[in-house]
């Protein structure tokens, strides 16, 4: 077991482990640490705890110090510089007529590097842009191309549920999502209904997947024949997954009648356990093709 603390550097970003050394560090504190990008300023989201050795990426780097008021001031100044850097980079992109969308700018804490995040449809030759930026900022420049999901995570927004986006508030890493999850939850496969702000399948489809799998496995399928607790046999017409209710077409005195039963009142052959299917490029292409066929707006950002 190794003693560690968990540190984040961006809002809802990935959690990294560091050695707290002899410092007394609590959740919510800010710390100065050394990373692959240089010296960074992060905030503690997991207080001191012991984790198994195999969960640690070696070598485990130590905390350099608990952030001082001077460090806090410097971090605030860096945020101001990032806003100015973003404006300058936007102007340079326009000057070079590059087909790229600037998303964010980020300074490392020691100002040793400036990172610019952007999206683009294909590969971009930004060598001249980097030269221009290096001449302005007099430091190392890195341009990093990101996907539409990462763009939405950085910018944030409001989902169709009326709440802030999960990826921007607490989801540190994107989870695999598949069309199968929408089918399991009996949702419309209309791309506009199951796509998030980023244009990809909604991450929240994953949240209730296990619950729906469990509840669906307890229910008969539509078209299956079941035996009721009052001795009648009939065909399943519909099911209510959340309420665990089943509508069965039974025959009474040579007449057919639709009756509703609790699943515990029925006898039937249980479904075979379904294998989990992760998202694939093929599924995404099928979703995009379905969208075009229905004449909806494009799934990806223009």
């Amino acid at each position: 077991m190794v003693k560690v603390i968990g540190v984040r550097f961006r809002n809802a970003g990935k959690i990294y482990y560091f050695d707290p050394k002899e410092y007394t560090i609590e959740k919510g504190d800010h710390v100065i640490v050394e990373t692959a990008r240089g010296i960074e300023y992060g905030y503690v989201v997991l207080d001191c705890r012991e984790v198994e050795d195999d969960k640690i990426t070696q070598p485990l780097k130590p905390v350099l110090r608990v952030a001082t008021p001077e460090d806090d001031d410097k971090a605030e100044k860096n945020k101001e510089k990032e806003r100015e850097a973003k404006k300058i980079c936007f102007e340079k992109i326009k000057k070079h007529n590059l087909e790229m969308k600037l998303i964010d700018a980020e300074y490392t804490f020691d100002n040793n590097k400036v990172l610019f995040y952007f999206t683009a449809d294909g590969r971009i030759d930004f060598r001249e842009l980097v030269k221009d930026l290096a001449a302005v900022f007099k430091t190392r420049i890195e341009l990093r191309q990101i996907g539409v999901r990462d763009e939405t995570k950085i910018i944030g927004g409001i989902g169709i549920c009326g709440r802030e986006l999960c990826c921007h508030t607490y989801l540190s890493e994107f989870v695999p999502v598949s069309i199968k999850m929408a089918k399991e939850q009996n949702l419309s496969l209309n791309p506009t209904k199951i796509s998030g702000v980023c244009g990809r399948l909604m991450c929240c489809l994953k949240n209730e997947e296990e619950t729906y799998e469990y509840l669906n496995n307890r229910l008969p399928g539509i078209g299956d024949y079941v035996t009721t607790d009052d001795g009648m046999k009939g065909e399943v017409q519909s099911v209510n997954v959340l309420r665990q209710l089943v509508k069965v077409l039974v025959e009474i005195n040579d007449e057919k009648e639709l009756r509703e039963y609790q699943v515990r009142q029925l006898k039937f052959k249980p479904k075979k356990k379904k294998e989990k299917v992760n998202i694939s490029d093929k599924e995404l292409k099928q979703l995009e093709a379905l969208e075009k066929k229905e004449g909806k707006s494009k799934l990806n950002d223009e």
Side-chain angles (χ1 to χ4, degrees):
M1 301 291 281
V2 182
K3 190 177 180 181
V4 300
I5 58 168
V7 178
R8 271 183 176 153
F9 301 103
R10 294 180 68 89
N11 186 42
K14 186 177 177 181
I15 297 174
Y16 295 91
Y17 289 136
F18 290 90
D19 180 358
K21 288 294 188 181
E22 73 281 359
Y23 296 108
T24 301
I25 301 173
E26 297 180 355
K27 183 178 178 180
D29 290 346
H30 288 87
V31 291
I32 306 299
V33 294
E34 184 182 354
T35 69
R37 299 195 314 184
I39 306 299
E40 290 283 19
Y41 174 92
Y43 62 99
V44 179
V45 292
L46 298 174
D47 51 16
C48 292
R49 62 190 62 198
E50 290 188 344
V51 299
E52 296 174 4
D53 293 359
D54 58 357
K55 292 184 178 179
I56 302 297
T57 302
Q58 297 293 349
L60 183 65
K61 294 191 176 182
V63 171
L64 298 180
R65 65 180 180 273
V66 177
T68 63
E70 290 77 17
D71 292 327
D72 295 335
D73 290 341
K74 186 175 180 180
E76 284 301 317
K77 288 177 182 176
N78 281 348
K79 287 181 181 178
E80 293 175 9
K81 291 170 69 176
E82 285 167 0
R83 287 191 284 271
E84 186 62 29
K86 190 175 177 180
K87 289 179 184 177
I88 293 171
C89 185
F90 181 77
E91 291 170 359
K92 297 295 183 183
I93 289 171
K94 204 170 181 181
K95 172 188 169 185
H96 289 280
N97 274 333
L98 296 173
E99 293 184 3
M100 54 193 285
K101 180 182 176 184
L102 182 65
I103 304 302
D104 201 10
E106 181 184 4
Y107 268 92
T108 56
F109 182 73
D110 55 8
N111 288 184
N112 190 42
K113 184 193 290 185
V114 190
L115 295 96
F116 295 97
Y117 299 92
F118 72 94
T119 58
D121 290 335
R123 296 188 67 180
I124 302 291
D125 183 359
F126 46 67
R127 286 174 292 184
E128 293 303 317
L129 173 63
V130 171
K131 288 178 184 177
D132 272 7
L133 293 173
V136 173
F137 296 107
K138 309 293 183 184
T139 188
R140 292 172 60 196
I141 302 295
E142 182 179 330
L143 271 76
R144 187 173 295 178
Q145 187 169 355
I146 59 175
V148 288
R149 273 186 154 191
D150 294 298
E151 174 189 355
T152 306
K153 182 179 179 69
I154 292 172
I155 295 173
I158 304 296
I160 58 172
C161 58
R163 303 185 66 174
E164 278 194 85
L165 299 176
C166 300
C167 60
H168 184 68
T169 51
Y170 75 91
L171 199 64
S172 58
E173 293 184 49
F174 292 111
V175 293
V177 188
S178 69
I179 297 173
K180 174 181 171 288
M181 294 177 188
K183 292 179 181 176
E184 190 84 36
Q185 296 172 38
N186 200 27
L187 298 174
S188 166
L189 295 185
N190 184 334
T192 59
K193 298 283 183 67
I194 58 175
S195 301
V197 174
C198 62
R200 296 289 186 261
L201 293 174
M202 293 188 294
C203 294
C204 57
L205 290 174
K206 177 72 176 176
N207 294 352
E208 297 176 353
E209 180 202 11
E210 289 185 8
T211 301
Y212 271 90
E213 282 186 349
Y214 169 73
L215 293 176
N216 275 320
N217 283 333
R218 297 184 61 199
L219 292 169
I222 295 173
D224 289 355
Y225 284 88
V226 297
T227 303
T228 67
D229 59 353
D230 49 10
M232 291 187 287
K233 292 185 178 180
E235 183 183 356
V236 176
Q237 297 297 301
S238 66
V239 295
N240 186 318
V241 180
L242 296 179
R243 293 184 177 180
Q244 293 287 280
L245 295 174
V246 182
K247 286 187 177 179
V248 182
L249 190 65
V250 296
E251 191 170 319
I252 303 171
N253 298 326
D254 296 330
E255 291 186 3
K256 291 189 176 181
E257 183 180 325
L258 193 63
R259 290 190 175 184
E260 191 172 64
Y261 295 89
Q262 290 281 349
V263 68
R264 63 175 179 272
Q265 296 177 276
L266 305 175
K267 290 182 180 179
F268 56 92
K269 192 174 181 181
K271 296 178 183 177
K272 291 182 180 179
K273 194 173 181 180
K274 297 178 183 178
E275 294 181 0
K276 292 186 178 181
V277 181
N278 290 337
I279 195 167
S280 65
D281 290 337
K282 184 179 179 182
E283 285 178 320
L284 285 176
K285 286 177 182 177
Q286 287 174 343
L287 195 61
E288 290 168 357
L290 177 63
E291 183 185 43
K292 288 176 184 177
K293 186 178 178 181
E294 293 181 354
K296 303 294 182 182
S297 60
K298 289 186 178 179
L299 191 62
N300 292 327
D301 291 348
E302 293 181 358

